[in-house]
Amino acid sequence: MVLKWMKCKWRDDGGRSAKPKLCQRWAKVLQGEDFLCANDPGPFEVHPTLETLETRIKEEWNFVAECRRKGIPQAAYCKNGFIDTSVRLLDKIERSSLARQSAISKERDKRSSEFVFELTGQHWKELPDSLKEQTHLKEWHISNTLIQIIPKYIELFQAMRILDLPKNQISCLPAEIGHLKNLKELNVRFNHLKSIPPELGDCENLEKLDCSGNLELTELPFELSNLKQVSFVDISGNKFSSVPICVLRMSNLQWLDISNNNLSDLPQDIDRLRELQTFLLYKNKLTYLPFALLNLKKLTLLVVSGDHLVELPTALSDSSTPLKFVSLIDNPIENTQCQDETMESEQDRQHFDKEFMKAYIEDLKERESVPSYATKVSFSLQL
């Protein structure tokens, strides 16, 4: 039998505020001099089962994740730091959002379905033969399959704008990808790539490149320096030991995620990225941050792991700047080896890290009043 502290309204039969003497019995209970029955009234809620901290954390995390998936703003379920896990909140917003999303979805499908190819499921080991004839397609969305090879005939899809290929078994990209002059987005995260073809540098209209979670990438070809329209690059979850030279030459870059790699330092000319707004560096081996970071006048979010940092520009703490400097403190328990045979794979762990950080960054953007310097967060939580 567990007592749960509640925000309560003291009451008596006369409708007046109860006197402090009504608490005497409850004080005795807490001191072990009395006991409660399930029917006893009072300022406590009695639970017949044990509500552990683990269960509570899981419930709140799942609830917050569900709210975020449904696009519910934090202010709707978080009051004064406490999470309101009322399912009525979800039901109410879900009804209105479902109707809105349904209308948007129908209109979008009507407009674009004939130009979009979608494929998912682990029963797929190669692309269907009929795909070769559908060269009018503008988007490929292929995920969670066992497909290892993207065929060379991809060069025939001259109208291609989006190649969305996450969570497959792709081991290489064909050189012919360079013929896709209208390509704007390439997403090959969580595959098995060990290199990127230099011909990708010919896709001069590319705006978004995501190669995260491939685990084995160590460099990007210099030819990618030609990609002057790229504003988003994510190469996290690989084995980069330095920021690729081609990335430093992407003059329009606004978002760079190179977290979870093997970086020990940053280049002194990092300030070439004058348009950079978000820079994610956590889970590397950095011991210092160069003063050149202060020259990035548009930088508004910098996230690092602070465990090994011994030197950083003091101006990062200047409250007059718009920069949110976040120093994450990694939980040492994360390094404990689990002997469970069902231990998650490295890619699963990387995926969880990215989802966690995505939610955390969204939360930072909503909380404009948080301190901009040395916000410490225990990044890993083991229940």
Side-chain angles (χ1 to χ4, degrees), residues 154-155 173-181 183 186 195-206 220-227:
I154 194 172
E155 65 180 336
L173 295 174
E176 286 74 11
I177 197 172
H179 292 274
L180 305 180
K181 302 301 183 181
L183 188 65
L186 176 61
S195 64
I196 300 295
E199 289 79 7
L200 182 64
D202 295 329
C203 299
E204 55 190 23
N205 289 305
L206 193 68
L220 294 179
F222 180 79
E223 287 78 2
L224 269 60
S225 301
N226 298 327
L227 303 177

Side-chain angles (χ1 to χ4, degrees), residues 213 236 261 304 309:
S236 61
N261 277 281
V304 301
L309 283 177

Side-chain angles (χ1 to χ4, degrees), residues 227-272:
L227 303 177
K228 302 302 183 182
Q229 301 301 317
V230 170
S231 61
F232 178 103
V233 170
D234 188 343
I235 52 176
S236 61
N238 286 290
K239 292 185 177 179
F240 288 91
S241 57
S242 62
V243 179
I245 295 177
C246 63
V247 171
L248 295 174
R249 294 172 179 260
M250 295 177 179
S251 55
N252 197 45
L253 193 62
Q254 299 174 24
W255 177 295
L256 176 58
D257 187 348
I258 195 170
S259 58
N260 254 310
N261 277 281
N262 296 323
L263 270 66
S264 57
D265 57 26
L266 294 177
Q268 293 299 323
D269 58 344
I270 190 69
D271 53 359
R272 295 175 60 133

